[in-house]
């Protein structure tokens, strides 16, 4: 079991996970806790449920309601965590949203602003909120979750692709800016992953995606969470500014 392999790699570390109420963020929070982290589970909903499960499993942490697109909420969470823990060792920016199918001709300003506001600006605000405490501590790990849609062209995902491509570019910039100060910034780019985000995707479409995936297997939230936990851990100290697709070799084609 992957969580056993990772046991102890995050011992004593305080790790903030956004999107912790569901899917990849929830799996990341649980895997990080299993690896020894004190997990700060944040989301606009269901974060308390994730924390309960972590505590029941013998892990440690706290939960906060946070809209990642709200600067003031970020300040409250970071101040609160610093007051209780004294440091923030890692941030996993996992929370994100998808829009209805949008292409160049159908994209509205409203939809554009909503997607970019959460997926891109939310990751920006998260990084900006934790960077000073990390610099003060002389170390920090940030993992931003993008998507294979930020790496290759996909139909009907205009604003979403732009937001995820932006996350990748922004992460590289921050990685370079703080590389010499022991801050590591990396990106995990999931392919199609079995979470609530898939919504009412049909079985036929899921089968088609699975068949088109070189490994022949559809990724799980845990597959992505394991990559995130690795990048939050000391096992990845020499890796920064990189994008790791977790996509069953989809983007290797
Ligand atoms: N599932 C996929 O196929 C897939 C593929 C590529 C990338 N991703 C990315 O993975 C990340 C996680 O997605 P998931 O599949 O776990 O989806 P999910 O819908 O299961 O979970 C997303 C979580 O983000 C939270 N969230 C949404 N807006 C928020 C906000 N403004 N502030 C705080 N929390 C907010 C939601 O409440 C939810 O708990 C997203 O960034 C998504 O774009 C997912």
């Amino acid at each position: 079991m992957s969580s056993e392999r990772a046991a102890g790699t995050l011992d004593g570390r305080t790790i903030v996970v956004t999107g912790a109420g569901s899917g990849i963020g929830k799996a990341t929070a649980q895997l990080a806790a299993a690896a020894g982290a004190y997990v700060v589970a944040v989301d606009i909903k269901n974060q308390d449920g994730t924390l309960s499960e972590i505590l029941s499993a013998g892990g440690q942490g706290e939960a906060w309601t946070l809209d990642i697109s709200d600067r003031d909420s970020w300040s409250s969470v970071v101040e609160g965590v610093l007051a209780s823990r004294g440091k923030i060792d890692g941030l996993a920016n996992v929370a994100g949203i998808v829009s209805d199918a949008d292409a160049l001709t159908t994209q509205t300003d409203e939809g554009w602003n909503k997607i970019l506001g959460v997926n891109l600006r939310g990751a920006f605000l998260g990084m900006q909120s934790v960077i000073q405490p990390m610099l003060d501590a002389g170390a920090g790990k940030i993992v931003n979750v993008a998507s294979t849609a930020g790496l290759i062209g996909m139909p009907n995902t205009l604003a979403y692709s732009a937001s995820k491509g932006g996350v990748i570019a922004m992460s590289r910039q921050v990685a370079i800016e703080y590389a010499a100060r022991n801050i590591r910034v990396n990106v995990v780019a999931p392919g199609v992953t079995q979470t609530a985000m898939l919504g009412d995707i049909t079985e036929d479409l899921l089968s088609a995606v699975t068949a088109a995936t070189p490994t022949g297997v559809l990724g799980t939230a845990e597959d992505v969470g394991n990559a995130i936990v690795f990048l939050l851990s000391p096992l990845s100290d020499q890796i920064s500014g990189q994008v790791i697709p977790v996509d069953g070799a989809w983007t290797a084609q």
Side-chain angles (χ1 to χ4, degrees):
M1 174 66 187
S2 44
S3 57
E4 287 161 3
R5 284 204 304 274
T9 56
L10 294 179
D11 268 350
R13 301 195 175 214
T14 299
I15 305 286
V16 177
V17 182
T18 76
S22 174
I24 294 166
K26 179 173 181 177
T28 301
Q30 291 177 316
L31 290 165
Y38 180 95
V39 171
V40 181
V42 298
D43 203 303
I44 46 173
K45 60 181 185 203
N46 299 331
Q47 67 281 349
D48 291 336
T50 299
L51 178 65
S52 297
E53 289 181 39
I54 286 172
L55 298 178
S56 302
Q60 291 181 284
E62 62 190 88
W64 288 76
T65 305
L66 169 75
D67 178 346
I68 60 165
S69 63
D70 179 358
R71 178 181 290 282
D72 292 341
S73 297
W74 268 112
S75 298
S76 304
V77 171
V78 169
E79 278 169 27
V81 174
L82 290 176
S84 68
R85 300 289 297 167
K87 60 175 188 157
I88 294 174
D89 300 292
L91 167 67
N93 276 317
V94 187
I97 53 173
V98 277
S99 55
D100 293 335
D102 51 45
L104 187 56
T105 48
T106 58
Q107 180 68 59
T108 62
D109 284 347
E110 187 189 12
W112 173 272
N113 290 337
K114 185 174 172 198
I115 295 285
L116 274 286
V118 173
N119 292 356
L120 184 56
R121 186 164 173 276
F124 151 59
L125 290 178
M127 288 198 288
Q128 196 178 52
S129 303
V130 301
I131 195 68
Q132 195 56 52
M134 288 180 172
L135 290 170
D136 292 345
K141 299 259 188 181
I142 298 173
V143 181
N144 294 320
V145 173
S147 165
T148 48
L151 289 169
I152 60 173
M154 292 186 183
N156 299 318
T157 58
L158 185 85
Y160 184 77
S161 295
S163 73
K164 295 303 189 177
V167 166
I168 291 169
M170 178 172 68
S171 303
R172 289 191 178 119
Q173 193 283 326
V174 179
I176 293 297
E177 190 168 347
Y178 297 109
R181 300 187 67 181
N182 203 23
I183 307 293
R184 304 290 174 254
V185 184
N186 289 290
V187 177
V188 169
V192 175
T193 306
Q194 301 168 67
T195 71
M197 188 167 273
L198 297 187
D200 51 8
I201 189 170
T202 63
E203 283 301 320
D204 282 355
L205 190 49
L206 269 187
S207 300
V209 171
T210 308
T213 301
T215 58
V217 179
L218 214 54
T220 64
E222 287 71 26
D223 291 326
V224 184
N226 279 321
I228 297 171
V229 167
F230 166 70
L231 290 169
L232 290 168
S233 82
L235 297 175
S236 61
D237 277 353
Q238 185 59 356
I239 302 175
S240 199
Q242 302 304 315
V243 184
I244 300 189
V246 181
D247 66 350
W250 182 285
T251 48
Q253 297 177 95

